[in-house]
């Protein structure tokens, strides 16, 4: 467990103690060796594909993985799982990072396997240490490199496997920042041909700190989701424990805009309640909570904990009540970033099915196109635990 979670705990310690330079990458970006680029035509550069056994196939007790017959695709962009300081961006053969990525597929991406076929690329993600770098310019270039891989992977997905099917963009944390940029450049009114938006079921850009004023500037034509069945919209939220002080990392937020990255002081962030799926300040009752799933490394997903969490968008952050015990074990200061998906796992799973059904009913992009089967390269991976 510690190997997955301690770096986020370290990041919070850094923000509180003001000792960020101790965790800075060892080199300036220009002097750091650039890891080799992936070729996404090769299935080895994908952490998840619908026809191979991987961690995104996992389900809680009593649930089924339905990717084989799923009516839509899910392009999932994993959060930061590379914690070393030797490189600004992950070498794709880093085993520790890839094990962390598998954990995020089990804990997060698997929430979509009831309704979608999951495509999740490995990419040269920026290291966690990049977030505390003293150099905005170096951090921005590291994120640009990571995003270039994400966009290249999505291009291969469209070319080789999509076949005109509707799709969901889903992500967490660093991945959600890249997902926001992907939607902006390819699916919003800023794109050269926004027709691709007709196939967008929704974008779940969870755990990305995005100021409210960035929505229309960054993804015009793709509104904030305001109801549970709305399609071609985007979901954002950042979970914090109700009653605790606002984590310091939200005081200064650096986000991507079409004209470049910029820092906003004391921003009000975008927030959609993942229980009610509305962008308002009404609190959800315990009875409405469909279930949290507390994922742990190297263990099967447990039975969902139903009716355990309330949620309310409060000044741009999602204030949540927490079940006792394990949910608080590794955290302090109220930040629940690592649990953004897990606290609302079953709520997300049910909402995806609702939006997919709504898109079908409204005559959106065809959801009856045959699901393509990627070619295997070598032996399939072992089943995820």
């Amino acid at each position: 467990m510690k190997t997955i979670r301690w770096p986020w705990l370290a990041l919070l310690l850094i923000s509180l103690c003001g000792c960020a330079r101790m965790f800075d990458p060892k080199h300036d970006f220009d002097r750091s060796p650039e890891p080799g680029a992936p070729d996404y035509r090769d299935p080895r550069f994908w952490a998840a594909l619908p026809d191979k056994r991987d961690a995104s196939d996992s389900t809680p007790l009593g649930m089924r993985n339905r990717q084989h017959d799923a009516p839509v695709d899910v392009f999932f962009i994993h959060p930061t799982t590379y914690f070393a300081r030797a490189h600004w961006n992950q070498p794709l053969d880093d085993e520790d990072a890839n094990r962390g990525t598998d954990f995020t597929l089990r804990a997060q991406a698997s929430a979509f396997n009831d309704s979608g076929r999951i495509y999740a690329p490995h990419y040269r993600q920026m290291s966690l240490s990049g977030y505390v770098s003293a150099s905005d310019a170096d951090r921005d270039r590291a994120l640009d490199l990571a995003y270039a891989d994400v966009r290249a992977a999505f291009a291969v997905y469209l070319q080789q496997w999509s076949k005109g099917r509707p799709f969901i963009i889903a992500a967490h944390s660093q991945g959600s920042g890249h997902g926001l940029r992907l939607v902006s450049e390819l699916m919003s009114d800023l794109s050269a041909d926004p027709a691709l938006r007709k196939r967008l079921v929704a974008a779940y850009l969870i755990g990305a700190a995005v100021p409210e004023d960035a929505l229309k500037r960054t993804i015009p034509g793709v509104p904030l989701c305001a109801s549970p069945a709305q399609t071609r919209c985007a979901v954002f939220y950042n979970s914090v424990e109700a009653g605790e002080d606002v984590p310091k990392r939200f005081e200064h937020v650096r986000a991507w805009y079409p004209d470049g990255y910029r820092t906003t002081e004391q921003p009000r962030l975008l927030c959609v309640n993942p229980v009610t799926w509305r962008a308002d300040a009404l609190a959800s009752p315990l009875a409405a909570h469909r279930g949290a799933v507390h994922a742990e490394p190297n263990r099967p997903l447990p039975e969902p904990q139903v009716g355990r969490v309330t949620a309310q968008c409060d000044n741009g952050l999602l204030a949540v009540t927490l079940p006792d015990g394990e949910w608080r074990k590794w955290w302090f200061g109220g930040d629940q970033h690592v649990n953004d998906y897990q606290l609302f796992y079953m709520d997300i799973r049910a909402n995806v099915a609702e939006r997919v059904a709504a898109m079908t009913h409204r005559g959106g992009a065809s959801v009856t196109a045959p699901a393509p089967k990627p070619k295997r390269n070598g032996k399939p991976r072992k089943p995820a635990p």
Side-chain angles (χ1 to χ4, degrees):
M1 182 184 298
K2 292 182 180 180
T3 57
I4 297 298
R5 293 189 174 186
W6 79 260
W8 287 110
L9 183 60
L11 183 58
L12 294 176
L13 283 169
I14 291 165
S15 68
L16 290 174
C17 75
C19 51
R21 288 180 182 272
M22 293 173 56
F23 295 87
D24 226 344
K26 292 182 178 179
H27 310 285
D28 294 339
F29 181 83
D30 287 342
R31 294 176 52 228
S32 179
E34 182 176 304
D39 178 357
Y40 289 112
R41 296 169 298 179
D42 184 340
R44 291 178 300 173
F45 290 105
W46 291 84
L49 287 172
D51 79 325
K52 76 175 183 180
R53 297 172 184 173
D54 56 62
S56 73
D57 300 338
S58 303
T59 58
L61 292 175
M63 305 291 141
R64 288 183 58 193
N65 169 26
R66 302 177 185 272
Q67 290 189 65
H68 178 72
D69 299 317
V72 305
D73 297 333
V74 178
F75 186 80
F76 182 80
I77 313 167
H78 68 76
T80 306
T81 60
Y82 178 58
F83 309 130
R85 295 175 60 209
H87 298 264
W88 276 86
N89 295 79
Q90 181 206 335
L92 293 175
D93 60 355
D94 188 288
E95 294 183 359
D96 288 339
N98 291 336
R99 278 194 293 270
T101 297
D102 283 344
F103 175 74
T104 68
L105 295 182
R106 184 164 64 254
Q108 300 177 348
S110 66
F112 298 89
N113 67 26
D114 184 52
S115 300
R117 294 166 56 86
I118 300 169
Y119 297 81
H122 288 295
Y123 65 99
R124 290 173 295 176
Q125 58 178 297
M126 184 181 75
S127 171
L128 176 67
S129 61
Y131 283 103
V132 296
S133 171
S135 171
D136 287 344
D138 283 347
R139 179 170 58 253
D140 295 349
R141 283 182 285 182
L143 289 171
D144 283 343
L145 177 62
Y147 173 71
D149 284 356
V150 170
R151 179 155 177 171
F154 190 72
V156 171
Y157 155 72
L158 289 177
Q159 181 180 21
Q160 290 194 180
W161 298 314
S162 170
K163 308 299 183 185
R165 285 160 55 88
F167 58 82
I168 290 166
I169 304 295
H172 186 238
S173 195
Q174 178 179 164
S176 291
H178 301 315
L180 175 66
R181 188 169 176 179
L182 189 70
V183 173
S184 178
E185 294 183 355
L186 297 182
M187 296 155 224
S188 77
D189 290 340
L190 299 178
S191 62
D193 181 7
L196 194 60
R197 184 167 67 230
K198 293 180 180 179
R199 293 164 53 192
L200 176 66
V201 179
Y204 292 81
L205 304 178
I206 297 168
V210 181
E212 281 186 345
D213 67 353
L215 186 67
K216 290 184 178 179
R217 292 195 225 173
T218 305
I219 49 173
V222 183
L224 194 65
C225 292
S227 66
Q230 185 179 356
T231 59
R232 304 184 184 112
C233 58
V235 169
F236 302 83
Y237 64 83
N238 292 272
S239 305
V240 298
E241 188 171 358
E244 296 288 338
D245 292 337
V246 174
K248 290 185 179 296
R249 68 187 182 92
F250 295 118
E251 294 179 359
H252 315 280
V253 169
R254 191 163 183 81
W256 182 85
Y257 287 77
D259 58 352
Y261 294 92
R262 67 177 67 170
T263 300
T264 304
E265 304 291 333
Q266 306 291 337
R268 185 183 177 94
L269 303 178
L270 296 168
C271 182
V272 172
N273 187 319
V275 177
T276 66
W277 299 102
R278 300 185 184 279
D280 57 31
L282 294 178
S284 63
L286 282 174
H289 177 234
R290 291 179 177 267
V293 173
H294 190 265
E296 296 189 68
N298 304 316
R299 294 185 182 181
L301 292 179
E303 185 177 358
Q305 302 174 25
V306 181
R308 302 286 298 279
V309 179
T310 66
Q312 181 179 20
C313 288
D314 183 8
N315 291 319
L317 296 175
L318 185 72
V320 302
T321 60
L322 297 176
D324 292 332
E326 67 270 26
W327 297 98
R328 290 190 174 92
K329 187 173 182 179
W330 294 98
W331 288 96
F332 63 95
D335 199 317
Q336 283 293 316
H337 183 70
V338 76
N339 293 322
D340 281 330
Y341 268 85
Q342 296 185 59
L343 286 168
F344 305 102
Y345 184 101
M346 294 303 298
D347 302 88
I348 293 169
R349 193 174 183 89
N351 182 250
V352 171
E354 185 171 3
R355 293 191 200 274
V356 169
M359 194 159 185
T360 307
H361 178 72
R362 293 167 188 165
S366 172
V367 295
T368 59
K373 294 184 177 181
K375 294 181 179 179
R376 294 187 183 274
N377 188 346
K379 297 180 180 179
R381 297 174 60 177
K382 294 180 180 180

